[in-house]
Amino acid sequence: MKKKSMLMWILGIALSLTLLMAGCSNSDADASEESAGSDTTFNETGLPIVEEEITLEIAGPYDARTGSDYNNLETIKEINKDTNINIDWQLSPSSDWTSKRNLMLASGDLPDVVLKLSPSDVVVGGAQGTFLPLEDMIAKYAPNFTNFLEEYPEVRDSITAPDGHIYSIPLANMAKYKRVSGNSLWINQKWLEQVGMEMPKTTEDFKKVLEAFKAEDMNGNGDPNDEVPLAGIYGDGLHGLGFLYGSFNTLDETFIVKDDKVDFVRTSPEYKEVIKYISSLYQAGLIDQEMFTLESSDLISKLSSGDKANVGAFYGWSPDQITNPDYKWDYGSPVLALQGPEGHQVRGYLNPQLNPAVFAVTKKNQHPEATIRWIDKAFDPDMSFKLREGPNRVEQVADGKYEIVPEPEGFTAGEWRVKETPYNNFPYGSTQEMREQLDLSNLKPGVLDPDKDEWFDLQEPNLVEWVFPEILFTNEQYDGITRYQTDIMAYTDEMAAKWITGAADIEADWDTYVKNLQEMGLEDYTQIYQDGYDTYKANQQ
């Protein structure tokens, strides 16, 4: 027994020593990580940013037109130059990114930086410690971005969480032409000439134009039924029917703000009249009958296939989306807001093109200061200009101006623009001054294009400041939005589809529809937005 006891004692001592050594090893590893975090090779100013090379893992989406090899893009090469920072890009197709991002955040298997988050991801992740607060590092290490925030304080307001911290770097385009909706109405002017009609100015004029397009064989192929008078996609921000809402004194938004009061659009009398008008077009066969199922690629195919145009009118940013050069500019210039039955013709003065959650630094990042210095290079005015416009797409001319370099053969306009830049998948700060650097006189001569400030100037008299501002809510408010939003919006979409197609009667259903929404929590849903708006306004004072 004594021998056995002595043996057990010796084994116990050995085990204790093993655990102690393991503990020391772990402590050394922790200390090593802390040392790496302090980064003694970091330079607060100048280049390189770090004396010894480091690698940052950055996860995000990529545009198929740009491709996933960001390190070969001219803009990224310039940002990386002389920094001693290498980037390991972990990119997913844009179509897959939301699910990939959600899985990444849920698993806790994080890179150093995450691109293109939702605002709620940033607020919740910041509160939980997933993302680092950045405001102190921005003030100390990001002079370009700090200057941008000083010039545009509304951007700072939009990226500051309710707890006072900044957890993400934005993409912000403050040029005024982006303050009008890209959802413009384009009409085939050659078709107008064929039917002997002028550009419509009212909703009634527009309906008559579409009726004329439907009645005749507009493409001259002997089949009067293969043309689409009006093409669009229900619910799509760019290609949807939102343009028509202003003719009935409302906007195609979930909530609008009038005199500091937040209103849910889809229970308003104005919305009811919009749906009735759209229904009259649909049931007369004047709108593409596939508009509830179309994807944007399907719409572009309709607009570009065939030797001649098959679509009379469509909604979108520009006919550049039509890839067939033989007739894309038959659509000429976009239509100004149509006057509705009561004389209304408003359009929304939009928030800036601002995504507050484009670049968030995670708790796994051992070089946050270096990361902030690296991304600050994107806010150098010259670099922001290149990230926004595409360095291959602009060429400097006289007086410090730049002109647009037309896309070469084999490229669409969109492909050419994003050939050397991550574009809207990466932070930058574009200003009105940068916009004015562009000489757009050679851009589609004779055509009123939305890329021209002239388009904004023509619409400005009709612009109303009703659009709900870009703000960050609290964790609790995001929980409430999640609780109500999906069911309420799904129900309103379902009923709109029934009313538009004639499967149900909006007059007979309206009171029950509003009652059902109230029972689903619409009042509480609206109050969340009212509370968020009130806090936002109070913080501006």
Side-chain angles (χ1 to χ4, degrees):
M1 290 293 291
K2 289 182 179 180
K3 289 182 179 180
K4 185 174 181 181
S5 297
M6 180 62 72
L7 179 61
M8 293 298 291
W9 180 79
I10 292 171
L11 289 173
I13 292 294
L15 180 60
S16 298
L17 288 171
T18 301
L19 292 173
L20 179 61
M21 291 175 66
C24 290
S25 176
N26 288 338
S27 297
D28 290 342
D30 291 342
S32 175
E33 287 185 6
E34 289 177 8
S35 175
S38 61
D39 206 348
T40 56
T41 67
F42 170 67
N43 293 319
E44 294 190 5
T45 59
L47 293 174
I49 292 176
V50 286
E51 291 296 335
E52 299 176 10
E53 286 192 2
I54 63 171
T55 297
L56 299 177
E57 295 180 349
I58 301 181
Y62 69 89
D63 188 316
R65 299 171 300 176
T66 303
S68 60
D69 195 355
Y70 278 10
N71 282 327
N72 278 335
L73 300 182
E74 184 177 329
T75 46
I76 298 300
K77 285 181 180 179
E78 188 170 341
I79 290 173
N80 287 344
K81 185 179 179 182
D82 297 330
T83 62
N84 269 352
I85 296 177
N86 303 309
I87 306 300
D88 176 10
W89 297 98
Q90 300 174 2
L91 303 178
S92 303
S94 294
S95 58
D96 298 337
W97 174 237
T98 299
S99 59
K100 289 282 184 68
R101 181 188 70 205
N102 291 343
L103 181 61
M104 178 190 302
L105 295 178
S107 69
D109 185 13
L110 300 170
D112 296 307
V113 173
V114 183
L115 302 177
K116 291 295 284 282
L117 295 131
S118 71
S120 60
D121 286 336
V122 167
V123 172
V124 174
Q128 293 174 344
T130 301
F131 302 121
L132 303 182
L134 305 177
E135 61 276 1
D136 291 341
M137 287 187 284
I138 289 168
K140 192 170 183 179
Y141 304 122
N144 293 316
F145 186 44
T146 297
N147 290 339
F148 184 79
L149 295 179
E150 288 175 353
E151 184 174 359
Y152 296 102
E154 63 187 297
V155 177
R156 184 183 289 276
D157 292 339
S158 294
I159 64 174
T160 301
D163 65 6
H165 290 302
I166 293 174
Y167 295 111
S168 60
I169 307 292
L171 174 158
N173 181 1
M174 309 306 288
K176 67 179 184 180
Y177 84 105
K178 296 297 287 186
R179 305 298 288 266
V180 297
S181 177
N183 176 237
S184 298
L185 174 62
W186 301 80
I187 295 181
N188 191 314
Q189 292 178 306
K190 294 249 179 109
W191 283 22
L192 282 175
E193 293 172 8
Q194 282 181 242
V195 296
M197 301 180 78
E198 297 181 351
M199 190 72 79
K201 295 181 179 179
T202 69
T203 51
E204 188 59 31
D205 292 342
F206 183 48
K207 187 174 183 179
K208 289 178 180 178
V209 164
L210 297 180
E211 289 171 341
F213 288 169
K214 180 176 174 57
E216 298 191 24
D217 178 18
M218 300 305 302
N219 60 16
N221 68 351
D223 183 358
N225 299 312
D226 66 345
E227 295 90 349
V228 177
L230 173 63
I233 303 172
Y234 175 80
D236 188 274
L238 183 60
H239 302 298
L241 308 177
F243 179 89
L244 295 175
Y245 281 55
S247 303
F248 297 86
N249 205 35
T250 190
L251 303 176
D252 187 15
E253 301 281 341
T254 303
F255 293 100
I256 58 176
V257 184
K258 293 184 179 181
D259 298 324
D260 291 333
K261 183 178 182 298
V262 176
D263 292 319
F264 183 71
V265 168
R266 297 186 180 194
T267 51
S268 67
E270 293 85 359
Y271 172 78
K272 181 180 178 182
E273 295 305 313
V274 174
I275 296 299
K276 287 166 66 175
Y277 176 73
I278 295 173
S279 178
S280 73
L281 301 182
Y282 186 92
Q283 293 189 54
L286 305 179
I287 302 180
D288 191 339
Q289 303 293 286
E290 296 180 321
M291 73 171 187
F292 292 102
T293 58
L294 284 179
E295 300 289 339
S296 58
S297 58
D298 301 323
L299 177 64
I300 292 172
S301 178
K302 285 176 182 280
L303 295 172
S304 61
S305 62
D307 296 331
K308 294 183 178 180
N310 291 315
V311 175
F314 74 96
Y315 298 101
W317 179 255
S318 168
D320 272 352
Q321 296 167 81
I322 302 174
T323 57
N324 191 322
D326 293 337
Y327 53 79
K328 69 180 181 180
W329 290 117
D330 288 1
Y331 293 88
S333 299
V335 181
L336 289 171
L338 297 170
Q339 190 176 85
E342 304 298 324
H344 301 297
Q345 52 185 145
V346 303
R347 298 210 76 188
Y349 183 72
L350 302 183
N351 296 315
Q353 182 188 0
L354 173 61
N355 185 333
V358 173
F359 186 100
V361 180
T362 76
K363 63 183 180 182
K364 296 293 182 69
N365 191 316
Q366 295 297 304
H367 310 280
E369 296 89 353
T371 303
I372 292 302
R373 282 207 62 206
W374 182 83
I375 196 57
D376 188 56
K377 295 187 74 177
F379 286 86
D380 174 86
D382 181 61
M383 179 50 63
S384 277
F385 182 75
K386 292 175 181 177
L387 286 165
R388 170 67 199 171
E389 301 298 338
N392 54 294
R393 180 177 165 267
V394 291
E395 182 177 57
Q396 191 163 19
V397 291
D399 301 324
K401 293 274 191 178
Y402 292 80
E403 67 179 15
I404 303 296
V405 177
E407 64 273 17
E409 186 175 352
F411 286 87
T412 66
E415 289 169 343
W416 182 238
R417 181 165 203 155
V418 302
K419 180 177 181 295
E420 298 292 346
T421 171
Y423 197 46
N424 289 341
N425 289 319
F426 197 75
Y428 60 74
S430 186
T431 67
Q432 180 62 26
E433 289 72 23
M434 292 180 199
R435 169 71 177 174
E436 291 168 0
Q437 286 181 261
L438 285 172
D439 178 357
L440 300 175
S441 59
N442 72 331
L443 184 63
K444 307 176 187 72
V447 174
L448 179 58
D449 188 271
D451 279 332
K452 297 180 178 179
D453 286 334
E454 181 186 358
W455 177 230
F456 174 89
D457 295 338
L458 286 172
Q459 294 192 98
E460 191 169 17
N462 294 324
L463 296 179
V464 292
E465 296 190 25
W466 295 347
V467 175
F468 193 88
E470 187 72 61
I471 67 174
L472 296 177
F473 293 92
T474 66
N475 290 2
E476 294 75 16
Q477 287 170 335
Y478 279 123
D479 286 343
I481 291 169
T482 300
R483 186 181 314 123
Y484 298 116
Q485 182 172 265
T486 300
D487 290 344
I488 285 176
M489 299 308 290
Y491 176 64
T492 57
D493 281 339
E494 176 189 355
M495 294 307 299
K498 289 181 178 179
W499 293 328
I500 289 170
T501 60
D505 181 355
I506 193 169
E507 292 292 354
D509 294 339
W510 186 258
D511 290 344
T512 300
Y513 163 79
V514 173
K515 181 181 178 182
N516 288 343
L517 285 170
Q518 294 296 346
E519 292 175 351
M520 294 170 74
L522 178 59
E523 185 175 343
D524 292 338
Y525 182 39
T526 304
Q527 189 61 49
I528 292 170
Y529 277 81
Q530 184 70 61
D531 291 343
Y533 176 81
D534 291 343
T535 301
Y536 170 80
K537 291 289 286 186
N539 289 340
Q540 289 185 312
Q541 297 173 359

